[in-house]
């Protein structure tokens, strides 16, 4: 029988009642003839509670124990989901990560799945079982210890199972009904996309759209897993939600598919840096060591052997960045006149695979912002993305104006 | 290094603070030179919460899923205890049942431990680890599924580890400071016993003293594991608590060691049963099938081919017993004139290995109750126990009077 993977996030399994609702969705797919692999998260709030215990116990915790502790929430949901399906007369059983086994590397707290042997579950499907409920987010290391895949890791579990079992599709049930052209809380005209390309979803995920874990999208792209994002709180048809798929399957033909934003950015400028070969490494090496996530980088044209270097990072890393740079200056590794932090900026990004073939997207974006009187502080581009830093107070206005300018409210 | 097993119950690990307190106790034993195996229960309330979820989901649950769900609480405590010990610079790690592995049979929800291979943990002790923290209550079946040992099963885990590793002692830390001559809430003169024989503890445990799981005492007796019950809420010396040990090691020499009681008993009488060979089987077979836990049984002298049959059972099983017996009568398997249930009785038991060698214990017990005007309804005796059923309203009085009569407030 064809296999379908269905993943339910924390809010979709927050109570026994909600688990029942999710199980009914599973039952619908079983009735259609699918053998289903269900991946479950912990009940909403459980993982945070466990992480809280760990932090209270040991601020610099042993990640192996952290994993053993925080993985337990998913085990509870998996068992409850299996029981609920059994109550509905759907033959089901639960699997914990080590029972499959979901083999990962030993990078505790952010492990990578290396192999999912399909034998155990396939054998049970052969015996008449219709649903395998698997605890998401967890695996087992070569040393036989429990690992976890990082926050949101159940998405990755789901995609990895879909790839391993050659599933027809991987449905991610969540608390939103799909991927939107932008955040509906900011732009009321935001429209749900029927389809979005893997590459676009990847950019949106890494830009902070919380719909899918970035790594799950990478994995889906690599193994060509058809990924669907849809709401567990609405009646669903086969066309519901947003399908994340290959570029070729995206019907719409528009330069921009979505507008993303990131509120808490900071722009830092090293004024009048002595310009010499290796200066970038001398600046960004210490920042990386200090754990500063540098995003956009701009180097102005050098004059008389000196240059200005600007970069952006999350606003809560500014103190750390300042310390790292001042330490490097004190140690004589770099030389600059001043270090200026602008902590009132936001990042706005336009994302779309259509940019590759359509010119004028950047120009249109800059003109739109200019028409609204919004000054652009930093620009960075990739093949399918244009990002700008602007004053934070214009963030909502910029998102709305760009959404209008690219007519995202209209289906392509 | 000698090995010590320390078990902490749910109230002793109810919060990260209490886990810290328990970890300090472990640290004291490590400092003395012991390699320690710590067995932990779930944080108080967790297992009940999980059992509640199961019952809400599926009243007639699949015990395999029940076990997968309810075992998760212990995993959390084991990890937190390991982290806490690491914070105290005590080399420690956690083990879940399947990681040891604790091999059990497949009797889910009340599994029996069959084997505990010591290799994995012994190897880590050899590498300098000082404390192995093991999640209690759980194991793994031959089919690779998680099993649990029944409520209170962590006691049994602790004793089984002590037996497997040849531990010098097994300390059970709980919310009482030892085993008492009777319930201090009923008899203020109740005295903590320094030592008690395995056989006595076994009788007390099966009579409802909630200090230790019955099976853990059986196991300790069989493998000669020195078992100590003590409080995790008091400063402890080596002499604290109560040592459960071989008869020969019990110094006290008295006929009775403790008075136990069970409040919610019922006495049922089948009046004028047709007496014939096999009649007891015809009565008690259907009761067993109906899940009625029959305790005491008395058959009166038969007259003219008919007899009265009396038995006791927990009061909440009376309805089930009545149905089973009336069904058996309707089916023609047994014949009786009347079925009388007395649901206002309590059971009082005097327990002591000294009874074997000292006569007159029963006579003294009956006389004491008679002096208080308490009528005895049923009597049952074993080698080291005398139990009587009396009206429930006299229960406290009977316990106090017997405690006085056998002078249990005085050390032997």
């Amino acid at each position: 029988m064809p296999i379908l993977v269905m993943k339910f996030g924390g809010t979709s399994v927050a109570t026994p009642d909600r688990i029942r609702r999710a199980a009914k969705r599973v039952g619908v797919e079983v009735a259609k003839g699918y053998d289903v692999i269900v991946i479950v998260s912990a009940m909403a709030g459980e993982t945070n509670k466990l992480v809280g215990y760990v932090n209270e116990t040991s601020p610099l915790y042993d990640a192996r124990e952290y994993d053993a502790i925080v993985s337990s929430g998913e085990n509870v949901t998996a068992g409850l989901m299996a029981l609920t399906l059994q109550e509905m007369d759907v033959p089901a059983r639960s699997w914990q990560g080590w029972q499959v086994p979901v083999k990962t590397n030993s990078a505790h707290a952010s492990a990578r799945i290396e192999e999912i042997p399909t034998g155990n579950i396939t054998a049970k499907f052969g015996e008449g079982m219709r649903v395998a409920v698997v605890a998401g987010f967890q695996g087992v290391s070569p040393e036989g210890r429990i690992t976890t895949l990082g926050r949101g890791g159940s998405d990755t579990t789901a995609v990895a199972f879909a790839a391993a079992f050659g599933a027809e599709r991987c449905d991610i049930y969540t608390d939103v009904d799909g991927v939107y052209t932008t955040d509906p809380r900011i732009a009321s005209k935001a429209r749900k996309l029927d389809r979005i390309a893997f590459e676009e979803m990847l950019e949106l995920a890494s830009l902070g759209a919380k719909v899918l874990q970035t790594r799950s999208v990478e994995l889906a792209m690599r193994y060509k897993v058809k990924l669907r994002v849809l709401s567990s709180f609405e009646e669903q048809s086969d066309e519901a939600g947003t399908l994340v798929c290959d570029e070729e399957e995206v019907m719409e033909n528009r330069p921009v598919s979505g507008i993303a934003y990131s509120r808490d950015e900071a722009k830092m400028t090293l004024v009048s840096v002595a310009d010499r070969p290796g200066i970038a490494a001398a600046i960004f090496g210490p920042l990386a060591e200090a754990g500063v996530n540098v995003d956009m980088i701009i180097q102005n044209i050098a004059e008389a052997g000196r240059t200005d270097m600007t970069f952006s990072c999350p606003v809560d890393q500014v103190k750390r960045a300042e310390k790292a740079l001042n330490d490097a200056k004190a140690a004589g590794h770099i030389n600059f006149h001043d270090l200026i932090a602008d902590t009132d900026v936001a990042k706005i990004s336009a994302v779309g695979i259509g940019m590759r073939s359509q010119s004028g997207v950047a120009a249109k974006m800059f003109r739109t912002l200019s028409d609204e009187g919004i000054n652009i502080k930093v620009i960075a581009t990739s093949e399918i993305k244009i990002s700008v830093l602007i004053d934070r107070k214009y963030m909502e206005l910029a998102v709305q104006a760009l959404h209008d300018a690219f007519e995202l409210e209209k289906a392509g």
Side-chain angles (χ1 to χ4, degrees), chain A:
Chain A
M1 273 183 266
I3 287 178
L4 192 70
V5 172
M6 302 173 75
K7 182 257 173 179
F8 292 93
T11 54
S12 310
V13 293
T15 63
D17 251 359
R18 289 202 181 163
I19 292 174
R20 209 164 296 134
R21 196 164 174 167
K24 277 186 194 154
R25 280 291 316 147
V26 177
V28 168
E29 303 294 354
V30 168
K32 283 184 198 161
Y34 287 107
D35 279 345
V36 180
I37 298 172
V38 173
I39 311 292
V40 288
S41 297
M43 294 162 99
E46 281 300 308
T47 304
N48 284 340
K49 188 187 79 178
L50 296 170
V51 170
Y53 284 152
V54 169
N55 287 326
E56 186 179 343
T57 300
S58 177
L60 298 166
Y61 51 75
D62 176 347
R64 295 167 297 190
E65 300 297 346
Y66 171 93
D67 281 354
I69 293 165
V70 302
S71 60
S72 72
E74 278 72 12
N75 295 342
V76 172
T77 327
L80 290 176
M81 176 63 85
L83 284 178
T84 307
L85 288 161
Q86 291 176 358
E87 279 289 303
M88 293 162 48
D89 290 325
V90 176
R93 74 157 270 200
S94 71
W95 265 270
Q96 300 186 2
W98 61 273
Q99 290 175 316
V100 175
V102 178
K103 297 182 181 178
T104 73
N105 64 9
S106 302
H108 283 274
S110 60
R112 280 183 175 268
I113 294 175
E114 300 198 323
E115 192 196 346
I116 300 179
T118 57
N120 290 334
I121 288 176
T122 303
K124 288 286 169 189
F125 279 139
E127 293 168 18
M129 184 191 66
R130 299 300 308 279
V131 182
V133 186
V134 178
F137 175 60
Q138 59 179 249
V140 61
S141 75
E143 296 79 28
R145 300 201 65 172
I146 293 169
T147 53
T148 65
L149 312 179
R151 293 311 289 264
S154 292
D155 290 342
T156 303
T157 305
V159 173
F161 270 82
F165 283 84
E168 199 170 291
R169 205 175 60 236
C170 179
D171 286 350
I172 307 282
Y173 284 85
T174 178
D175 48 3
V176 297
D177 64 349
V179 180
Y180 275 74
T181 50
T182 194
D183 186 340
R185 289 168 301 180
I186 286 191
S188 58
K189 291 184 195 162
R191 180 176 57 87
K192 183 175 76 67
L193 293 161
D194 291 333
R195 294 180 177 223
I196 188 170
F198 288 126
E199 293 86 343
E200 293 173 326
M201 191 66 234
L202 208 50
E203 290 283 6
L204 290 173
S206 58
L207 287 168
K210 298 215 171 59
V211 184
L212 286 172
Q213 198 198 29
T214 306
R215 208 181 321 154
S216 70
V217 183
E218 288 173 1
L219 211 57
M221 186 160 75
R222 184 160 149 211
Y223 291 102
K224 308 275 185 208
V225 171
K226 265 193 194 166
L227 196 58
R228 194 164 64 135
V229 176
L230 67 177
S231 167
S232 51
F233 298 104
E234 291 173 17
E235 286 302 312
Q236 297 299 354
S237 70
D238 273 359
E239 299 306 311
T242 298
L243 191 69
V244 189
C245 55
D246 257 352
E247 204 171 314
E248 294 76 38
E249 299 175 76
V250 177
M251 308 297 178
E252 302 195 15
N253 181 28
R254 54 169 74 252
V256 172
S257 295
I259 307 294
Y261 66 89
S262 168
R263 187 185 304 267
D264 299 314
E265 298 288 318
K267 167 174 162 267
M268 304 196 71
T269 303
L270 287 144
V271 180
S272 190
V273 182
D275 194 16
R276 55 171 171 80
I279 184 63
I283 290 171
F284 294 104
L287 287 172
E289 276 165 36
V292 176
N293 297 312
V294 171
D295 178 19
M296 305 154 98
I297 297 174
I298 294 170
Q299 186 176 352
N300 287 5
I301 296 156
E303 277 178 38
R306 302 197 79 88
T307 183
D308 290 349
M309 189 75 86
T310 298
F311 63 90
S312 71
C313 68
V315 75
D316 59 2
Q317 296 179 358
V318 166
K319 288 258 175 302
R320 225 186 293 172
E322 286 174 340
K323 183 174 187 305
L325 293 170
N326 286 321
D327 286 355
K329 186 180 182 185
H333 301 144
I334 53 175
N335 179 289
F336 54 85
H337 286 177
D338 203 359
L339 175 56
I340 302 169
D342 179 354
T343 55
D344 284 322
V345 295
K347 183 169 67 171
I348 312 289
S349 306
V351 173
I353 46 172
M355 285 185 204
R356 289 194 191 127
S357 51
Q358 298 188 35
S359 58
V361 176
K364 188 171 190 176
M365 181 166 179
F366 303 154
R367 193 172 57 244
T368 303
L369 294 174
S370 160
D371 286 350
E372 298 290 343
I374 301 171
N375 188 34
I376 297 173
K377 304 188 152 197
V378 175
I379 299 168
T381 59
S382 79
E383 210 185 353
I384 65 165
K385 180 188 74 176
I386 304 166
S387 296
V388 298
L389 282 191
I390 60 171
D391 275 337
R392 186 172 302 131
K393 61 182 172 187
Y394 296 125
M395 191 184 80
E396 286 82 359
L397 174 62
V399 169
Q400 291 155 3
L402 291 170
H403 199 272
D404 284 345
F406 289 107
E407 299 185 314
L408 298 185
E409 74 281 7
K410 296 185 192 160

